[in-house]
């Protein structure tokens, strides 16, 4: 009987931990910059919104990882 209770509690703890993990947090940044245009009011504000998520994994890169080759100049 006690084994079943312990097993039940362990299963509940695992289920709660899986629910709390959820998705990665989403961050948003807005960049406002001044732009000159050829119509009135001539100086306007433009915005760019960047959205990204935080994650612990590192995505693959297409950049070479080998050491650079030396260049000899005469």
């Amino acid at each position: 009987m006690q084994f079943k209770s312990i097993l039940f509690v362990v299963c509940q703890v695992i289920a709660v931990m899986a629910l709390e993990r959820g998705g990665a947090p989403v961050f948003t940044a807005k960049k406002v910059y001044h732009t000159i245009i050829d119509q009135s009011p001539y100086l306007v504000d433009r915005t760019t919104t960047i959205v990204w998520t935080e994650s612990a994994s590192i995505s693959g890169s297409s950049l070479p990882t080998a050491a650079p080759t030396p260049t000899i100049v005469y």
Side-chain angles (χ1 to χ4, degrees):
M1 180 66 181
Q2 198 173 30
F3 176 74
K4 289 182 182 181
S5 298
I6 292 172
L7 182 62
F8 178 75
V9 170
V10 169
C11 290
Q12 292 298 320
V13 169
I14 291 172
V16 169
M17 288 174 54
L19 288 175
E20 288 181 353
R21 179 172 286 178
V26 177
F27 298 101
T28 304
K30 186 181 289 187
K31 180 180 178 183
V32 179
Y33 53 96
H34 304 294
T35 304
I36 298 174
I37 60 173
D38 59 355
Q39 298 174 353
S40 181
Y42 303 109
L43 182 62
V44 295
D45 290 336
R46 302 284 176 133
T47 59
T48 301
T49 304
I50 301 170
V51 179
W52 71 94
T53 57
E54 179 182 41
S55 66
S57 64
I58 299 173
S59 61
S61 173
S62 62
L63 299 174
T65 57
T69 57
T71 304
I72 301 172
V73 179
Y74 294 104

